[in-house]
Amino acid sequence: MAVAKKKAPAKRGPKPAAKKTTVAKKPAAKKPAVKKAPVKKAPARKAPAKKTAAVKAPVVNKALATAEKAQEKANAAVVKATAALAKAKEKKAAVTAKARTSKTAATLRQLEAAKAGYVKAQAALVTAKAAAKAASFEVKLAVIESSIETAKEKSAARVTAFAEGLEAKKADDLAKAVASFEAKWLAARAKADTRKVKTFQKKEEVKTKAAERKVKAKISALKKQQTVKRKPVARKPRATAAAPAAAVKAES
């Protein structure tokens, strides 16, 4: 009989690893956010606005302006008179040249008119130059007079600048004066206080000594009273009945 073969036990593979059960963690309780107190910022101090001195427009001297205007007008008149003289001279030269070839009455009249115009132009130029010279002199006078106004303006500007400088230094000077006065006052007050304290101290010492004398007198009085109480009082002997009889016998 065939022996039944025992089946070899099937090899078991490695045990499957136990699945790790992950425990879901509870979310940590959120701490209430602490509100920070808002930090108050100190208001920024505005720097004091610097006072800017108003720029004054230069004062125009009316007399000088009028003189300069008159001078310009006179110079223009000289230019005009010079041009007129040159024109009259040209006309005179042209008519003179014509009169050399033509001796007609019309030409002679033109020549006389040209000569008269030339003389008139010369006189006008002389007058214009004299007026220009006078105008130039007036301008010089006005310039000299305006120097007085300029000096006044400069003086006023210096006074204003000086006043502004004093105003700017006022705070510093006040602080210095207050500090100096404070130091002097404190020194004088310290001396006065020292004298007052010494005087008051002397008065208090007198009061204290008087009170001390009173206390000592009171203590000595109390001690005397206590001493008197402690001394024994001497008692007188009692009178007996035999004493009167003896006295009677003595009398008899």
Side-chain angles (χ1 to χ4, degrees):
M1 289 179 66
V3 179
K5 292 181 180 180
K6 292 182 179 180
K7 291 182 180 180
K11 291 182 180 180
R12 294 180 181 178
K15 293 182 179 180
K19 292 182 180 180
K20 293 182 180 180
T21 56
T22 56
V23 180
K25 293 182 179 179
K26 293 182 180 180
K30 292 183 179 179
K31 294 181 180 180
V34 179
K35 292 183 179 180
K36 293 183 179 180
V39 180
K40 293 183 179 180
K41 293 183 179 180
R45 293 182 180 178
K46 293 182 179 180
K50 294 182 178 179
K51 293 182 180 179
T52 54
V55 179
K56 294 182 179 179
V59 180
V60 179
N61 191 306
K62 291 183 179 180
L64 179 59
T66 303
E68 287 177 345
K69 191 174 182 180
Q71 186 184 29
E72 289 177 2
K73 189 175 180 181
N75 290 336
V78 170
V79 172
K80 188 176 180 180
T82 302
L85 180 62
K87 190 175 181 181
K89 187 177 181 181
E90 288 177 1
K91 187 176 182 180
K92 178 188 172 185
V95 173
T96 302
K98 184 179 179 181
R100 287 174 185 170
T101 57
S102 175
K103 300 292 184 178
T104 61
T107 303
L108 292 175
R109 285 195 298 271
Q110 289 177 0
L111 181 59
E112 291 297 328
K115 287 180 179 180
Y118 179 72
V119 172
K120 186 178 180 181
Q122 281 182 327
L125 180 58
V126 171
T127 304
K129 285 183 177 181
K133 189 176 181 180
S136 178
F137 181 73
E138 291 296 328
V139 169
K140 287 181 180 180
L141 291 179
V143 168
I144 294 171
E145 289 177 355
S146 68
S147 64
I148 299 172
E149 296 296 328
T150 304
K152 288 181 180 179
E153 290 175 10
K154 289 182 179 179
S155 177
R158 287 194 296 270
V159 170
T160 303
F162 183 74
E164 289 176 353
L166 292 177
E167 184 67 24
K169 294 192 297 182
K170 185 188 291 184
D172 293 338
D173 292 344
L174 176 61
K176 290 177 183 177
V178 169
S180 176
F181 173 78
E182 184 179 2
K184 291 179 181 178
W185 187 88
L186 288 174
R189 182 58 181 266
K191 290 181 180 179
D193 289 351
T194 302
R195 288 195 299 270
K196 289 179 181 179
V197 168
K198 286 182 179 179
T199 303
F200 187 78
Q201 186 178 5
K202 288 180 181 179
K203 290 180 180 179
E204 288 298 316
E205 286 176 355
V206 171
K207 290 180 182 179
T208 304
K209 287 179 180 179
E212 186 178 356
R213 285 195 297 271
K214 288 181 181 180
V215 171
K216 286 181 178 180
K218 190 174 182 179
I219 290 171
S220 61
L222 290 173
K223 284 182 178 180
K224 285 180 181 179
Q225 290 178 5
Q226 190 68 16
T227 305
V228 170
K229 286 180 180 180
R230 287 179 181 177
K231 285 182 179 180
V233 180
R235 294 182 180 180
K236 293 179 180 181
R238 292 181 181 179
T240 57
V248 171
K249 285 181 180 181
E251 287 178 359
S252 60

